[in-house]
Amino acid sequence: MHLIMKSQFDELRLNDEYEYSTNDRGGKKVVKIYKDGELIAKKITIKNSVQYFGVTGVEELLEQA
């Protein structure tokens, strides 16, 4: 996984083709996006730090949408 932009993550999250789940535990919030049961992107929030990660090739998924 590598860093991606917030806009790319939001585009994946709002797309109906993909599923997502959230987990909020002890100040760490994780949002994971899946396609066909495989993890393709995730967002990690710890306090004021937010990082967005995507699998290699996530840009190709964005072009198909």
Side-chain angles (χ1 to χ4, degrees):
M1 294 203 135
H2 62 277
L3 291 172
I4 60 173
M5 295 186 304
K6 179 187 184 302
S7 59
Q8 292 174 315
F9 182 85
D10 288 339
E11 192 173 327
L12 290 170
R13 185 178 55 82
L14 297 174
N15 191 329
D16 291 335
E17 293 180 28
Y18 309 120
E19 305 166 3
Y20 71 95
S21 66
T22 60
N23 187 356
D24 190 359
R25 191 181 316 182
K28 179 179 179 180
K29 184 176 181 181
V30 179
V31 178
K32 296 180 180 178
I33 301 176
Y34 299 94
K35 179 180 179 182
D36 300 327
E38 292 186 35
L39 180 66
I40 59 169
K42 67 181 173 180
K43 168 184 159 184
I44 300 174
T45 306
I46 302 173
K47 294 185 181 181
N48 293 331
S49 173
V50 180
Q51 294 180 319
Y52 303 91
F53 298 94
V55 296
T56 303
V58 72
E59 291 83 10
E60 295 167 3
L61 293 172
L62 292 168
E63 290 175 2
Q64 293 174 0

